[in-house]
Amino acid sequence: NIEELHKAWMREQSRIVTLTQQRNSLLNQLSVYHKQILVMKQKQLKTEFEIDRLKKEETNIQHLVSSLEKRLTGLNLQCSERKGYKENLNNLNLAAQNQLICDLKDAEVKALTLQEDMCYLEIEKEELRGEIVQAQRDLLAWERKLQMATEVKQNIDKSKAEGGEIAVMKSEIHRMEVRYAQLQKVQEKLAHDMEMCISRRDGIVELAQAREKRSTKRALYTRQQFLKKLDDLQTKIKQTNSELKSVDKTYNSSDDHMHELTDRKQYKRNQLSELQGAVSQMQAQLAEGQLHRQKNLEMLVRKQRKARQYGELKAGRYSLQFRQESVLELETQKQKAVNSDLVSIVESINTDFPILATPITQILNTLRSPAA
């Protein structure tokens, strides 16, 4: 019996262990179920919150759909109204496309024309470069001529200065003029003395005749005395005549020398005038050459600028200020009128101030040159 009880107790113990294990497993399952219930409740709360949110979104979507339906209705009305606009826009688009094609063809033609103009400008540039080189050569030649003329003028100025040939000639002419004045005074004095001698001779003759009438005794003595005095007077007259001849000879030689000096002086003056005229002519030609050079240089610069603008226009870097021919023609006429007014003003200034002829002529050349 004890063994049976022991076996029964063992069975009960094993059963208790089994039940305990089952209880523990059930408790674990129960805790798991509780956790699952909590998770499901949280999911339920989230689901309810999501449902509420979706309901709100559904309401908003319904409102949005209703507004979109209204807008769709309005758009349908607008589409029905603008069906004719589409055809008009298509027609306008086609016309604009055709216009753009025509403009593109015109631009291509203009580009070809600009290329030809650039070729012509390059040729003109080379020609102008050759002209500038020739003008520079001419300018150097005129500068050499001007230097030679300046040296000649300096030599003439040196000859005019103290110690020069012309100064010596002037001093010699002055000395001869002084000598000529002295000789004229001597000649006048001799003529006066001769007149006095003649008057004294006449007086002596009259006195002798009177005395001869008064006294016949002293006639011989008076006649001899008279003849002696007459011989003395004739001797003095001969001396005076010889002196007059020498004075005339000296005067004639001085006069010839003075005429020679005057001729030489006049020749030198004429030569100086010719040289001054040549220098003035060279200076005028030099100024004209400089003006021509400045004009050619300015034309070259303008054509280079024009060629550069054509290149920028061809490359698309240059934007046209005037795209319509009428506006461009109006602006051109306006600029021509302004240029004409400026030319008139500068010409009046040139008339009032002739001393500034060279710079004013440069300005006139700039204003009258063809537009770049």
Side-chain angles (χ1 to χ4, degrees):
N1 291 328
I2 294 171
E3 290 179 356
E4 290 178 356
L5 289 171
H6 183 70
K7 290 179 180 179
W9 183 79
M10 290 297 292
R11 283 195 298 273
E12 289 296 329
Q13 288 292 326
S14 60
R15 185 180 176 186
I16 289 169
V17 171
T18 303
L19 290 172
T20 303
Q21 290 177 352
Q22 289 179 356
R23 181 176 175 276
N24 290 328
S25 65
L26 290 172
L27 288 172
N28 290 329
Q29 289 179 358
L30 183 62
S31 64
V32 170
Y33 288 152
H34 281 296
K35 291 179 180 180
Q36 288 179 354
I37 289 169
L38 290 173
V39 171
M40 293 301 291
K41 284 182 179 180
Q42 290 177 356
K43 286 183 178 181
Q44 184 181 2
L45 291 174
K46 289 181 180 180
T47 304
E48 289 177 355
F49 179 75
E50 188 70 21
I51 289 169
D52 293 334
R53 188 179 63 80
L54 290 173
K55 285 181 179 180
K56 291 179 181 179
E57 288 182 358
E58 184 181 3
T59 305
N60 293 327
I61 288 170
Q62 287 178 356
H63 290 298
L64 182 62
V65 168
S66 62
S67 64
L68 289 174
E69 286 178 352
K70 291 179 181 179
R71 289 182 63 186
L72 182 61
T73 304
L75 290 173
N76 289 326
L77 293 175
Q78 290 180 0
C79 287
S80 62
E81 290 176 356
R82 293 184 179 179
K83 283 182 180 179
Y85 292 161
K86 183 178 180 181
E87 294 179 357
N88 293 328
L89 289 174
N90 289 327
N91 294 327
L92 291 173
N93 190 12
L94 184 61
Q97 186 176 1
N98 294 327
Q99 183 66 32
L100 287 174
I101 291 171
C102 293
D103 292 339
L104 183 61
K105 290 181 180 179
D106 293 336
E108 289 178 353
V109 173
K110 287 183 179 179
L112 293 174
T113 306
L114 290 175
Q115 286 181 355
E116 292 178 357
D117 292 339
M118 287 178 65
C119 293
Y120 291 143
L121 287 173
E122 289 293 334
I123 295 171
E124 291 181 0
K125 178 181 176 182
E126 294 297 329
E127 292 178 355
L128 286 174
R129 187 174 295 171
E131 291 179 359
I132 288 173
V133 172
Q134 185 64 33
Q136 288 178 351
R137 291 176 181 173
D138 295 338
L139 182 61
L140 291 174
W142 283 113
E143 285 178 353
R144 286 195 294 269
K145 290 181 180 179
L146 181 61
Q147 186 178 2
M148 292 173 63
T150 306
E151 291 177 356
V152 171
K153 186 177 179 181
Q154 289 177 356
N155 293 328
I156 292 171
D157 292 336
K158 288 180 180 178
S159 64
K160 282 184 178 180
E162 185 177 359
E165 184 179 357
I166 295 177
V168 173
M169 289 171 62
K170 286 183 178 180
S171 63
E172 186 68 21
I173 289 170
H174 179 68
R175 187 179 65 80
M176 295 303 294
E177 288 177 351
V178 173
R179 180 62 178 166
Y180 176 70
Q182 292 176 355
L183 291 174
Q184 281 184 341
K185 290 180 180 179
V186 171
Q187 186 179 7
E188 290 176 357
K189 185 178 180 182
L190 290 174
H192 181 69
D193 291 339
M194 186 178 290
E195 290 177 356
M196 291 295 294
C197 289
I198 292 171
S199 62
R200 286 178 64 187
R201 185 186 66 179
D202 293 336
I204 290 170
V205 170
E206 291 177 357
L207 183 61
Q209 289 177 357
R211 286 181 179 179
E212 188 176 0
K213 290 179 181 179
R214 290 177 185 175
S215 177
T216 57
K217 293 181 180 180
R218 299 177 62 185
L220 182 61
Y221 176 74
T222 304
R223 183 177 180 82
Q224 290 177 353
Q225 188 178 6
F226 174 73
L227 290 174
K228 186 178 180 181
K229 289 182 178 180
L230 184 61
D231 291 334
D232 293 336
L233 288 173
Q234 287 178 354
T235 304
K236 288 182 179 180
I237 289 170
K238 288 180 180 179
Q239 290 178 356
T240 303
N241 288 326
S242 63
E243 289 180 358
L244 282 174
K245 288 180 181 180
S246 64
V247 168
D248 289 334
K249 186 176 180 181
T250 305
Y251 173 75
N252 291 327
S253 63
S254 300
D255 194 10
D256 294 336
H257 188 60
M258 188 174 67
H259 283 301
E260 183 181 358
L261 291 176
T262 304
D263 293 336
R264 289 179 63 187
K265 181 180 178 182
Q266 187 65 33
Y267 175 73
K268 293 293 183 181
R269 283 182 179 176
N270 294 331
Q271 190 177 7
L272 179 61
S273 299
E274 290 177 358
L275 290 174
Q276 288 177 350
V279 170
S280 300
Q281 185 178 3
M282 288 180 183
Q283 288 177 350
Q285 290 177 355
L286 180 61
E288 185 178 358
Q290 288 177 351
L291 290 174
H292 186 66
R293 177 187 178 187
Q294 184 261 344
K295 183 178 179 181
N296 290 333
L297 181 61
E298 187 170 356
M299 289 294 296
L300 178 61
V301 171
R302 288 193 176 195
K303 290 185 178 181
Q304 287 178 350
R305 188 186 301 118
K306 189 175 181 180
R308 186 169 59 253
Q309 289 178 354
Y310 282 157
E312 291 179 355
L313 180 62
K314 182 180 178 182
R317 295 192 300 270
Y318 182 76
S319 60
L320 297 176
Q321 294 182 357
F322 305 101
R323 298 183 180 275
Q324 296 180 359
E325 292 291 337
S326 59
V327 179
L328 180 60
E329 185 67 24
L330 182 62
E331 185 66 22
T332 302
Q333 295 297 328
K334 187 185 296 183
Q335 294 298 326
K336 285 183 179 180
V338 173
N339 192 13
S340 178
D341 294 336
L342 289 175
V343 169
S344 300
I345 293 170
V346 175
E347 285 179 350
S348 64
I349 292 173
N350 191 15
T351 304
D352 295 335
F353 301 98
I355 195 172
L356 301 175
T358 301
I360 292 176
T361 305
Q362 292 180 356
I363 296 172
L364 285 174
N365 289 333
T366 302
L367 292 174
R368 289 171 178 170
S369 61

